[in-house]
Amino acid sequence: VCLTSCDKTPPGHLMAAARLNIPTLLVIGGYQPSGAIGADRIDIEDVFEATIGRRFNTPLKHDIEDMAEQAIRGPGVCAGMATANTMHCVVEALGMCLPGSAPVRANSERMFDAARRSGTRIVQMVQEQLLPRTIMDERSFRNAIAMVLAVSGSINAIKHLQAVASEARGGVDVFALWDEISRTVPVLSAIRPNGERRIEEFEDAGGAAAMLKQLTPLIATAAMTCTGHTLADNLAGASVRDAEVIRPLERPVCPG
């Protein structure tokens, strides 16, 4: 069981899982709670923007030092669709964490519940001898690429996925798949820093599972997952709770 969190730990854990090829399950760490100044929500993305704005003498609504005090109100990865939350969604798309795990608020009951259920599931995976290379085949990499494109995620995911694919020794060319899939998969969600929506809204709208549900016509739903069931089975009960945050294919933020 890998407790995976910021930027480099998800690809590192996936690479190790693919290399060793023993039953492995990732537990997603949460994103940090953010604060507010008056009626304005403030998170780390606001601080990043303000820092750049100050460098270019752009007028700021709030003092940057006050924003920094409010932006991070507890432990967790950066709030936004940067590399950490992108890779958390990738882990779910690959089938290497329990469904509905990503993204998640740090120290929330949802996060702890996923951890508890993962402890049970990994024992079953050992008994079943369900191995990472059985899960992480070309179909699952296609799904992961579609996820990154649909959430307009971090470009770092490209090299991370190729590194994982190389360790899995399945001959998957992530760069070629990326070129192919990027021509058809649209952007369905614009989470900060790519839009005005916040990561909390993405989680509340259904998160990675809801995004995969929207992508169903374009992805390989027959891919095996860590549950011992296919992605299609896992998505049977998934739903999109806010179609403005996670849009349908016919009404994308940006076409493929």
Side-chain angles (χ1 to χ4, degrees):
V1 175
C2 299
L3 306 180
T4 203
S5 187
C6 192
D7 291 33
K8 308 302 186 293
T9 48
H13 288 150
L14 291 170
M15 290 169 68
R19 181 186 308 151
L20 298 174
N21 202 33
I22 60 175
T24 305
L25 192 57
L26 275 65
V27 174
I28 303 299
Y31 56 85
Q32 59 201 204
S34 56
I37 298 178
D40 297 330
R41 292 295 306 274
I42 303 293
D43 63 27
I44 191 63
E45 295 292 341
D46 294 290
V47 176
F48 292 155
E49 289 181 9
T51 301
I52 296 170
R54 184 164 69 176
R55 182 178 293 267
F56 288 94
N57 297 316
T58 302
L60 302 177
K61 184 176 181 180
H62 303 291
D63 183 82
I64 196 168
E65 283 72 24
D66 293 339
M67 295 173 68
E69 287 293 326
Q70 292 298 321
I72 302 173
R73 305 299 295 173
V77 305
C78 291
M81 195 56 75
T83 306
N85 280 309
T86 298
M87 290 306 299
H88 293 173
C89 292
V90 160
V91 171
E92 184 155 345
L94 283 171
M96 288 295 291
C97 69
L98 293 181
S101 292
V104 66
R105 292 166 169 84
N107 289 346
S108 65
E109 180 52 37
R110 284 189 67 246
M111 189 189 81
F112 289 120
D113 176 64
R116 286 189 291 267
R117 289 187 292 112
S118 296
T120 299
R121 178 59 192 152
I122 192 63
V123 175
Q124 298 166 343
M125 290 176 69
V126 171
Q127 295 169 341
E128 297 164 10
Q129 276 301 287
L130 180 55
L131 305 178
R133 291 183 189 175
T134 302
I135 298 169
M136 291 191 286
D137 60 12
E138 181 177 320
R139 296 172 300 182
S140 64
F141 281 100
R142 284 180 170 273
N143 296 341
I145 292 168
M147 172 65 75
V148 179
L149 292 166
V151 299
S152 189
S154 170
I155 196 171
N156 289 333
I158 301 176
K159 58 185 179 182
H160 290 331
L161 280 167
Q162 184 61 70
V164 176
S166 296
E167 295 289 356
R169 300 182 182 179
V172 175
D173 185 340
V174 168
F175 300 114
L177 288 178
W178 200 284
D179 183 61
E180 172 196 336
I181 296 169
S182 65
R183 301 174 190 275
T184 58
V185 173
V187 176
L188 299 181
S189 188
I191 306 303
R192 295 169 60 80
N194 300 311
E196 295 305 312
R197 299 289 187 169
R198 297 182 183 270
I199 195 68
E200 294 93 341
E201 294 178 90
F202 184 72
E203 179 187 353
D204 293 343
M211 180 60 80
L212 290 168
K213 188 79 168 184
Q214 297 288 56
L215 290 169
T216 295
L218 301 179
I219 60 177
T221 57
M224 178 55 62
T225 72
C226 67
T227 64
H229 301 288
T230 65
L231 180 60
D233 294 332
N234 293 349
L235 294 177
S239 63
V240 178
R241 295 191 286 272
D242 189 332
E244 293 303 315
V245 177
I246 302 176
R247 293 191 182 184
L249 290 171
E250 61 271 17
R251 192 168 53 83
V253 175
C254 180

